[in-house]
Amino acid sequence: MAFKSKIKWVALFVLTLSLGSLTVHLSLTKFSSMSLVQYSAKEALSHDFPYIGSPVGRNKRLWGAVRSLESLQPYANPRNLYPVPGKTSNGFIYAKIFGGFEKIRSSICDLVTISRLLNATLVIPEIQESTRSKGISYKFKSFSYLYDEEQFIASLKNDVNIIKSLPEHFKSARRRSEFPTFKPKSSASPNYYVKEILPSLKKAKVVGLIIMDGGCLQPILPPILSEFQRLRCRVAFHTLQFRPEIQILGLRMVERLRAWGQPFLAYHPGLVRDTLAYHGCAELFQDVHTELIQYRREQMIKQGIVNDELSVESHIRRENGSCPLMPEEVGLLLRAMGYPSNTIIYVAGSQTFGGQRLLIPLRAMFANVVDRTSLCSKTELSDLVGPETPLPPDVFKMPNPKSEEQLKEEWNRAGPRPRPLPPPPDRPVYQHEKEGWYAWITENDKEPNPSPMDLRMQAHRLLWDALDYIVSVEADAFFPGFHSDGSRWPDFSGLVIGQRLYERASSRTYRPDRKKITELFNIIRDDMYHPKRNWILSAREHLNRSLSEEGLIRQSLLSKPTSFLSHPIPECSCRISSVEITKPIKGKDGRILFGGEPECPKWMQSARAEKARTDETEPAEDENDEPEQLEPDVISSLTSLIDHDEEWDPND
């Protein structure tokens, strides 16, 4: 009895202490004030780099130019007899271009080349991504939504005759569909246009082209048409200038990145739904994202774009190098190269399939990961879009509840007894399920047509891609998660790599072999965050080789047969005379892959010599070559983020 009474007193004492502790905590919570601090990329940069505008010595191994490519210079001027187009032409060519930023840019270059080939007058092409969107800004129409029309016409006056619209007496006939229309493929040869389209052009005086494959002319032209290849380069790298508002904001973003006195690296994930569906990379994702990729792949099979089975082994495709590198893998490669954790990384791309959750590992390894939303205010982005007509709100409507009479009638029609139990009550519908792809993928088997808001967002992505393109071309280093590898259409990273190669061949542009990278990761797949030094050296050696001639030759073999703009050498470049003479390297088909560039004109060589003298006066760079080890705090923070079991928003 005495023992039981002691237990009661102990229990009462513990209960009293618990109540007292709870009272103290509640009082502290009431009288203390704590506000959540919103993360700001600019504040994080100011914490890591407090001295704004004070440049520091660069690590030459991480940011220095590639010495073996410094002699390559851009030179796309005509070199043979190249007459100015006359006032008379064989007719007019108008075109409708379907697709995103990459397809538009490649298609315009091909259109100008074809117009020169057929001696035709080109009507400013119509960009359907902006034409289909209703109620966008009245200031910009079709082509001018993205590019500068006046610059486009003026800079090509010695190459092609260009007009803004068809003459009045042809417009009504076009509305009545009286002119022949063609849908050329991206691999169409010059003979196709000379034999098939030119007779119709001369007869009808107007011909329409519908371009959907990201181009309308084969990438590699015969040597006799080398001037047409250089015309492509002049259009892509000189003529196609974004409208002034885009250029100003893009250069302002570059200035803000450089204001911290640090070099920055641009990274494009390449995680696009069409790319993932084309190569069969659905199993690299989970749940609904896998279904979305498979649905798109099924559409491509029906359209004849993909000649393969619907279900394929995605892990085998990844080992073949067909799938994009995941942001986590890119982060580990950059750390293996020795980039410190405070490196400024700009993430390009108007959208990343899979959401921001895929970038969590990269942000855990590198604190200063920014994008356009970090560098630009909402006002700057809205001013770039311009005044738009407001769209009616897309209000989600729940199905009408059934009346008691309807329920009784269904029960009577349900068939003989015994019957199954009635279905459980409907679960609540959350906000993220009312919008976008999640609303239909869980309910319907067929993807609905794009809503007015979807079409408007597709037009906006052209502007976001243009900003990212400017920043990526100007970056001190560029790393693609996926770039041209022989697939049928151009990609964003391939165009960036091509322009960086044309403007500054010696800039640090990584061209990783994804098959080799996958082999390296398979070695440490079970322990990716504690690689041995031998693995780090192997990864570093491969990435360094991708910067030099070996990477250029591999890219020429894979990407040039499908996208000339991703590898515009040797046709659009020249070489500064030096002691070292690079021997031409030819492929199996006899095509020169590297080293066949002519000598640059004397005026270019003198300008190059002046620049070399200026570079000699710059401060010496840090040449410390010690690899930076993975930091334990980064590993622990990343592990905690991955192991977090809280439900994520599918639209994050």
Side-chain angles (χ1 to χ4, degrees):
M1 230 17 219
F3 179 73
K4 292 183 178 179
S5 63
K6 288 182 179 180
I7 294 178
K8 291 180 179 179
W9 282 108
V10 170
L12 182 61
F13 179 72
V14 172
L15 181 60
T16 305
L17 288 178
S18 300
L19 290 174
S21 175
L22 181 61
T23 304
V24 172
H25 281 82
L26 290 175
S27 62
L28 290 175
T29 304
K30 181 178 180 180
F31 294 104
S32 63
S33 61
M34 179 180 293
S35 59
L36 294 177
V37 179
Q38 187 175 4
Y39 172 79
S40 173
K42 293 184 179 180
E43 293 181 1
L45 286 172
S46 62
H47 179 270
D48 287 341
F49 312 114
Y51 304 105
I52 300 179
S54 56
V56 297
R58 295 187 177 188
N59 189 324
K60 190 175 182 180
R61 182 179 58 80
L62 298 178
W63 305 104
V66 182
R67 290 291 181 88
S68 59
L69 302 178
E70 287 184 341
S71 60
L72 285 176
Q73 300 296 316
Y75 187 53
N77 295 344
R79 302 173 193 174
N80 302 317
L81 181 62
Y82 193 80
V84 176
K87 295 182 179 180
T88 59
S89 65
N90 292 325
F92 300 91
I93 294 179
Y94 69 90
K96 294 182 178 181
I97 302 176
F98 291 84
F101 178 85
E102 306 86 9
K103 293 185 178 181
I104 292 170
R105 197 168 184 86
S106 301
S107 300
I108 292 174
C109 298
D110 288 352
L111 278 173
V112 174
T113 306
I114 292 166
S115 300
R116 172 79 186 192
L117 179 67
L118 302 182
N119 187 26
T121 299
L122 176 64
V123 181
I124 290 286
E126 300 174 7
I127 298 177
Q128 295 301 299
E129 289 292 318
S130 60
T131 304
R132 294 164 59 194
S133 180
K134 305 299 182 183
I136 62 173
S137 178
Y138 60 88
K139 293 183 178 180
F140 318 109
K141 300 296 182 183
S142 190
F143 187 89
S144 63
Y145 189 74
L146 190 59
Y147 295 109
D148 189 343
E149 282 189 357
E150 301 298 334
Q151 162 74 15
F152 183 72
I153 297 174
S155 60
L156 288 175
K157 62 181 180 181
N158 294 329
D159 297 287
V160 179
N161 291 323
I162 303 177
I163 58 176
K164 292 186 177 182
S165 61
L166 281 172
E168 292 296 331
H169 59 283
F170 285 134
K171 288 182 179 180
S172 57
R174 179 189 172 182
R175 286 192 289 267
R176 295 191 299 268
S177 302
E178 295 182 1
F179 300 128
T181 304
F182 300 87
K183 295 182 179 180
K185 297 182 179 180
S186 59
S187 58
S189 66
N191 290 332
Y192 167 79
Y193 290 96
V194 173
K195 295 181 179 179
E196 299 292 334
I197 296 183
L198 183 58
S200 300
L201 178 64
K202 291 182 176 179
K203 181 179 180 181
K205 294 301 179 181
V206 178
V207 163
L209 299 180
I210 298 177
I211 306 174
M212 306 185 67
D213 295 333
C216 52
L217 185 65
Q218 67 184 38
I220 300 179
L221 300 177
I224 194 174
L225 298 178
S226 58
E227 289 298 340
F228 290 87
Q229 294 288 60
R230 282 186 279 276
L231 175 59
R232 274 174 164 170
C233 294
R234 292 197 295 276
V235 176
F237 307 134
H238 297 279
T239 299
L240 273 182
Q241 301 291 333
F242 300 113
R243 58 181 166 93
E245 296 86 353
I246 299 176
Q247 293 190 56
I248 292 172
L249 185 55
L251 295 177
R252 189 180 301 163
M253 293 166 63
V254 176
E255 291 176 359
R256 290 170 181 172
L257 286 168
R258 298 200 188 281
W260 306 101
Q262 301 288 329
F264 72 94
L265 180 143
Y267 160 59
H268 186 265
L271 295 172
V272 183
R273 184 184 174 194
D274 285 353
T275 301
L276 296 168
Y278 182 85
H279 293 286
C281 307
E283 295 176 2
L284 302 183
F285 296 82
Q286 296 178 353
D287 304 329
V288 179
H289 294 94
T290 299
E291 295 184 37
L292 283 167
I293 296 174
Q294 287 296 88
Y295 181 86
R296 180 63 183 133
R297 183 173 174 83
E298 184 179 5
Q299 287 181 320
M300 289 182 169
I301 293 175
K302 293 179 180 179
Q303 296 171 2
I305 300 175
V306 175
N307 299 320
D308 201 350
E309 297 180 358
L310 175 62
S311 299
V312 294
E313 184 65 36
S314 298
H315 298 284
I316 296 179
R317 296 296 177 95
R318 179 176 63 182
E319 292 181 356
N320 291 338
S322 299
C323 296
L325 297 174
M326 302 303 282
E328 179 184 16
E329 297 173 332
V330 173
L332 292 171
L333 290 173
L334 295 178
R335 294 304 298 268
M337 279 295 295
Y339 286 97
S341 58
N342 64 347
T343 301
I344 302 175
I345 298 179
Y346 181 86
V347 178
S350 57
Q351 60 177 344
T352 299
F353 188 80
Q356 289 293 318
R357 64 188 305 176
L358 292 181
L359 297 176
I360 289 176
L362 180 66
R363 294 182 184 274
M365 286 182 275
F366 296 93
N368 298 321
V369 176
V370 298
D371 56 16
R372 70 176 184 279
T373 60
S374 306
L375 300 175
C376 303
S377 64
K378 293 183 179 180
T379 303
E380 289 176 323
L381 296 177
S382 61
D383 290 343
L384 187 66
V385 171
E388 294 184 325
T389 304
L391 294 174
D394 187 10
V395 181
F396 177 77
K397 296 181 180 180
M398 292 289 294
N400 296 326
K402 297 180 180 179
S403 62
E404 293 184 3
E405 296 178 356
Q406 291 176 331
L407 293 174
K408 290 180 180 179
E409 186 178 354
E410 289 182 0
W411 177 263
N412 294 330
R413 295 199 312 263
R417 279 74 171 171
R419 297 174 181 173
L421 294 174
D426 294 336
R427 64 178 179 84
V429 179
Y430 299 100
Q431 181 64 31
H432 64 263
E433 298 177 334
K434 303 175 185 178
E435 303 171 353
W437 50 264
Y438 201 89
W440 69 265
I441 195 68
T442 56
E443 301 292 339
N444 305 323
D445 295 330
K446 184 178 180 182
E447 184 172 4
N449 295 326
S451 65
M453 181 56 69
D454 293 334
L455 295 175
R456 180 169 292 186
M457 293 302 296
Q458 291 176 10
H460 290 176
R461 290 192 189 105
L462 298 179
L463 306 180
W464 314 149
D465 282 333
L467 293 176
D468 293 342
Y469 190 84
I470 295 173
V471 177
S472 299
V473 171
E474 296 294 329
D476 298 279
F478 179 75
F479 196 104
F482 182 89
H483 62 290
S484 301
D485 64 341
S487 57
R488 290 183 55 175
W489 50 68
D491 61 274
F492 183 92
S493 294
L495 295 181
V496 171
I497 290 175
Q499 181 145 356
R500 289 173 64 90
L501 177 61
Y502 173 79
E503 292 184 356
R504 301 184 307 276
S506 59
S507 61
R508 296 190 73 85
T509 305
Y510 293 96
R511 308 171 186 89
D513 182 352
R514 292 189 298 278
K515 183 177 181 181
K516 178 65 176 177
I517 294 296
T518 304
E519 293 175 359
L520 289 173
F521 275 113
N522 286 339
I523 300 173
I524 61 167
R525 188 67 66 180
D526 296 332
D527 197 10
M528 296 175 62
Y529 290 92
H530 297 85
K532 296 182 179 180
R533 183 174 177 82
N534 290 338
W535 184 91
I536 293 177
L537 294 177
S538 298
R540 182 178 300 176
E541 181 184 2
H542 171 73
L543 293 177
N544 284 330
R545 286 202 305 266
S546 73
L547 293 169
S548 58
E549 296 96 329
E550 184 175 339
L552 285 181
I553 294 171
R554 179 183 176 277
Q555 184 182 351
S556 178
L557 289 171
L558 289 178
S559 63
K560 191 169 183 176
T562 56
S563 175
F564 172 74
L565 297 181
S566 64
H567 191 84
I569 62 173
E571 294 89 343
C572 300
S573 61
C574 62
R575 190 176 291 275
I576 298 292
S577 59
S578 59
V579 179
E580 299 179 1
I581 300 176
T582 304
K583 295 182 180 179
I585 299 176
K586 296 184 178 181
K588 296 181 180 180
D589 56 354
R591 177 170 57 89
I592 296 177
L593 305 178
F594 180 76
E597 302 83 11
E599 185 175 344
C600 293
K602 293 182 179 180
W603 63 268
M604 290 186 66
Q605 302 205 31
S606 59
R608 171 67 180 174
E610 180 66 23
K611 183 178 183 300
R613 286 193 295 269
T614 304
D615 294 340
E616 291 177 357
T617 61
E618 294 181 353
E621 297 173 338
D622 182 16
E623 297 189 10
N624 182 21
D625 198 31
E626 281 298 319
E628 182 177 346
Q629 300 296 328
L630 297 178
E631 301 174 1
D633 58 340
V634 173
I635 300 171
S636 60
S637 62
L638 177 57
T639 306
S640 63
L641 284 170
I642 294 177
D643 293 341
H644 193 54
D645 197 24
E646 185 179 349
E647 183 181 358
W648 292 91
D649 185 352
N651 276 342
D652 58 355

